[in-house]
Amino acid sequence: MDFPSLFQRLRQRKLVQWTVAYLAGAVICLEGFEIVAEQFRWAMWVRQGATVALLFGLLVTLVLAWHHGERGRQKVSLGELVSVVLLLALAGTTVMILRSRSQPQVMMNTAGMSFSFHRDTPHERSVAVLPCTDMSQAGDQEYFAEGLADELTTRLGAIHDLRVAARTSAFSFKDSGEGIGTIAGVLNVRNVLECGVHKDGSQVRITANLVDAEEGFERWSASYDSDLGNILALQEEIALAIAEALEAELGGNERSRLATRGTENQEAYDLYLRGISFQWRQPWSPENQSRALDLFQAAVDADSTFAAAWALLATSYVAFGNFHAIAPEEAYSRAEVAANRAMALDEDLAYAHWALGWVKFAYHYDWEGGEEEFRRTIALAPNDFTGYHSLTFPLAVFGRLEEAKAAALEAISLDPLALWPRLGLREVLFKMGDFAGIIADAEASLAVEPNDLLSLLDLALARALAGASAEAISAAAKAESLAPDEPHVALLAATVFAMAGDEVAARDRLDRMETASEEGATNVSPGDLAVVYASLGDGDQAITLLNRSVDTYDSWAFSLNYPGFRPYWGDPRFGELLDRLGLPHDAYR
């Protein structure tokens, strides 16, 4: 080959100039495209497809440059046309492959996915933030002290190089008297942060101690005096100091996210902390959640630019929709407004993505969009169980039950003493038909909290499905005694009686709840009614009610693979229901 001649031809045809110009333009295009894609939450395959298209565009540019780089002296040849057509066809095929791989229906390597949830964070970089002690003279700043600990947990939990015990589990040791070593052992962490808060008017003193529970020495300690107006900057300083003490590396934009101030309005921030104290208060109750919602609303009324308050307002509405505290359509629509407002102010708020994930999943039946938002939640808050717990639901609707189980187990590992991750696992185990696993888990939860209503209901249903009718009725009766007027409890108890063969008891509860629904009660779930009818063998009424569940955004719309509905999977009307929701028939056979 005559290399001097080749280089001369490359220079004449200006391939280098064309390449440099194209790459410069492509970089600008990608930056602009990414901004637009992020604003409109376009799917990942669209973003990947844009990159692929630009890469193939470079090849097309080189072909055109080779043939036309000398000021158009060459005519268009057949070879040129064939090359361009082939490159464009290959680019289109690649984009379609990316799109198909992004669809939940595609069979995935579930064994490999099972391990993708787990992060191998070194044990020496694990920490639990205990609730701060209120050291104020009046003793009336508990909400402020706990809010500070919660904020530190959130900030540290966003660092991928740390493993941070979840708030629910860490706060369960409040006033327990347990030693640091015991607490660290239960929470599976090496380090424990203790803090105290003394608030006097607008002045705050914070003391913090980071203790290595295994070695028994203090790794770091500090005392801070600040004005309330500087409290958010102080939280950033403390979080950075702890990360440095644990030798954690901050990647990407983690340092800038730690510096997020949220609001300079002290009234709004105080309302926000009070809202958190009610939202996390145990046991969970509609009354506490309603108070939290009101406080978050007051916070955004005080400062409409307070993104974190908008995000938690959205999560409150999601909870109300999931549990029929208000009509799901109203709850989810309000959650969508609040979540979008939060992300317009700060697109890196994990709870905003979490709330929007539930809106897409449970309100718009956008299964793929919901999954993407929950994965985004995990990316932004890798130490928070909520993303993993919620991810189990879109995975399960497509029959990806092993993946859903892996996500549920990771949620439990992050918050081992909390109720909600265990409920997520049991939801998956119901769909897998592992009734023994549900019974064992529910009994373990009840050994800690004998009056846990949701564990009693899971235990009753699992025992009934396993054929242990007497034990199932016993658990259902206890649940009813704890919440005699709760429709969800009454209808699941009716389901247990129906499976046990006591149709009279089942229909008595069913009739009462149907009457309440006809009289306008919004907390009677059509899906709960459907489960009772399915257990009584009335497929016609069960499928009618499941369609009503879809119409009213009832949570049973994404639990159609519950075992009680399995006898009706082959019914053509059930297939039509799956088509309405865009769900694959193969996962329901």
Side-chain angles (χ1 to χ4, degrees):
M1 177 180 293
D2 186 353
F3 286 103
S5 176
L6 175 60
F7 289 139
Q8 180 68 19
R9 293 167 70 187
L10 290 175
R11 187 173 63 181
Q12 289 175 342
R13 299 178 185 193
K14 300 181 181 179
L15 257 69
V16 175
Q17 293 95 319
W18 281 56
T19 300
V20 171
Y22 181 89
L23 290 176
V27 169
I28 295 172
C29 288
L30 278 178
E31 288 294 331
F33 184 86
E34 185 61 27
I35 292 172
V36 175
E38 186 66 28
Q39 288 178 342
F40 289 96
R41 310 290 165 191
W42 288 347
M44 184 56 66
W45 73 267
V46 178
R47 305 179 186 192
Q48 294 170 338
T51 303
V52 168
L54 285 172
L55 287 174
F56 277 101
L58 175 59
L59 297 178
V60 172
T61 299
L62 293 176
V63 170
L64 295 174
W66 181 261
H67 288 276
H68 298 279
E70 295 180 77
R71 298 183 181 177
R73 295 177 192 166
Q74 291 82 9
K75 295 180 180 179
V76 176
S77 67
L78 179 61
E80 176 188 357
L81 287 174
V82 171
S83 299
V84 171
V85 170
L86 286 176
L87 285 172
L88 292 175
L90 186 56
T93 302
T94 305
V95 172
M96 292 306 295
I97 290 173
L98 288 172
R99 184 180 188 279
S100 65
R101 286 183 176 179
S102 73
Q103 300 300 317
Q105 295 94 324
V106 174
M107 292 297 293
M108 302 182 71
N109 184 338
T110 56
M113 285 296 293
S114 298
F115 293 100
S116 67
F117 298 118
H118 185 67
R119 295 178 299 121
D120 295 319
T121 305
H123 189 57
E124 59 267 23
R125 290 203 290 275
S126 59
V127 61
V129 180
L130 298 184
C132 292
T133 302
D134 175 19
M135 302 172 68
S136 303
Q137 188 171 7
D140 60 350
Q141 297 298 312
E142 183 180 31
Y143 77 93
F144 185 87
E146 291 190 0
L148 176 63
D150 183 79
E151 289 284 275
L152 285 174
T153 300
T154 299
R155 289 175 186 258
L156 292 171
I159 301 174
H160 284 70
D161 203 32
L162 291 179
R163 183 184 178 277
V164 183
R167 181 197 194 278
T168 306
S169 292
F171 276 40
S172 68
F173 288 97
K174 179 183 177 182
D175 301 327
S176 68
E178 296 287 356
I180 292 294
T182 300
I183 294 172
V186 173
L187 298 178
N188 191 28
V189 297
R190 178 161 178 168
N191 306 282
V192 175
L193 180 73
E194 299 177 293
C195 54
V197 178
H198 183 277
K199 184 169 175 279
D200 184 11
S202 63
Q203 297 300 308
V204 180
R205 165 167 283 190
I206 299 173
T207 58
N209 302 287
L210 183 66
V211 179
D212 185 320
E214 292 186 6
E215 299 296 332
F217 70 90
E218 190 175 80
R219 298 188 67 145
W220 168 85
S221 66
S223 179
Y224 303 87
D225 290 291
S226 172
D227 184 90
L228 274 176
N230 198 42
I231 192 68
L232 294 171
L234 195 58
Q235 290 175 8
E236 172 199 351
E237 185 177 344
I238 296 172
L240 281 171
I242 295 169
E244 290 173 4
L246 295 174
E247 299 180 352
E249 294 184 9
L250 274 63
N253 65 344
E254 288 179 345
R255 183 174 292 273
S256 63
R257 281 163 53 198
L258 281 179
T260 301
R261 300 294 168 85
T263 182
E264 301 297 331
N265 184 310
Q266 289 307 306
E267 179 190 1
Y269 188 64
D270 189 76
L271 290 163
Y272 170 76
L273 292 183
R274 291 178 186 272
I276 289 175
S277 72
F278 280 98
Q279 189 175 53
W280 286 102
R281 190 164 296 182
Q282 300 297 318
W284 191 95
S285 71
E287 293 76 22
N288 286 338
Q289 296 305 307
S290 180
R291 185 70 179 123
L293 188 149
D294 290 342
L295 287 162
F296 293 140
Q297 182 63 57
V300 298
D301 288 342
D303 181 359
S304 62
T305 67
F306 192 0
W310 280 111
L312 291 189
L313 178 63
T315 66
S316 291
Y317 276 122
V318 166
F320 272 49
N322 285 353
F323 289 94
H324 289 258
I326 59 179
E329 183 173 10
E330 178 185 355
Y332 293 139
S333 62
R334 292 187 178 186
E336 185 169 22
V337 171
N340 283 328
R341 185 67 181 270
M343 286 198 289
L345 295 164
D346 183 350
E347 62 182 13
D348 286 334
L349 286 172
Y351 283 134
H353 285 278
W354 179 86
L356 190 60
W358 273 104
V359 167
K360 288 183 177 181
F361 177 77
Y363 186 41
H364 296 300
Y365 300 133
D366 176 5
W367 316 114
E368 186 182 26
E371 178 180 348
E372 187 174 339
E373 293 294 345
F374 294 146
R375 290 189 183 275
R376 179 69 170 154
T377 303
I378 293 169
L380 291 168
N383 289 289
D384 195 314
F385 83 87
T386 53
Y388 296 95
H389 165 72
S390 301
L391 184 60
T392 63
F393 293 91
L395 293 174
V397 295
F398 282 97
R400 294 154 59 183
L401 298 178
E402 290 295 337
E403 293 175 68
K405 182 179 178 181
L409 290 172
E410 183 65 12
I412 290 173
S413 76
L414 290 170
D415 208 345
L417 303 182
L419 170 64
W420 301 111
R422 309 213 75 88
L423 292 176
L425 174 63
R426 289 181 217 151
E427 176 82 10
V428 176
L429 295 180
F430 268 118
K431 294 169 181 176
M432 297 179 82
D434 184 1
F435 308 130
I438 298 166
I439 291 169
D441 189 85
E443 286 179 339
S445 295
L446 290 166
V448 177
E449 178 48 70
N451 292 331
D452 178 20
L453 189 62
L454 296 176
S455 293
L456 281 168
L457 292 173
D458 283 344
L459 179 63
L461 286 173
R463 282 175 170 174
L465 288 163
S469 298
E471 294 87 345
I473 289 173
S474 174
K478 183 174 181 179
E480 285 190 292
S481 70
L482 293 171
D485 299 321
E486 172 57 46
H488 180 64
V489 175
L491 289 170
L492 291 191
T495 302
V496 170
F497 279 108
M499 286 190 284
D502 190 344
E503 184 173 339
V504 173
R507 289 198 177 275
D508 173 65
R509 291 158 175 79
L510 181 62
D511 291 343
R512 285 192 285 113
M513 293 304 107
E514 285 189 320
T515 299
S517 180
E518 290 168 0
E519 291 175 351
T522 61
N523 58 345
V524 179
S525 158
D528 285 346
L529 295 169
V531 174
V532 182
Y533 277 107
S535 300
L536 291 169
D538 189 341
D540 293 343
Q541 192 65 8
I543 292 175
T544 296
L545 285 162
L546 286 177
N547 274 286
R548 189 185 303 169
S549 293
V550 175
D551 295 334
T552 57
Y553 312 102
D554 180 64
S555 59
W556 281 101
F558 47 84
S559 289
L560 297 179
N561 44 5
Y562 174 73
F565 300 136
R566 187 164 289 133
Y568 310 106
W569 284 3
D571 190 309
R573 294 169 299 175
F574 195 91
E576 292 171 1
L577 182 60
L578 295 176
D579 291 338
R580 280 191 67 191
L581 293 168
L583 293 174
H585 289 226
D586 288 347
Y588 296 81
R589 289 177 180 169

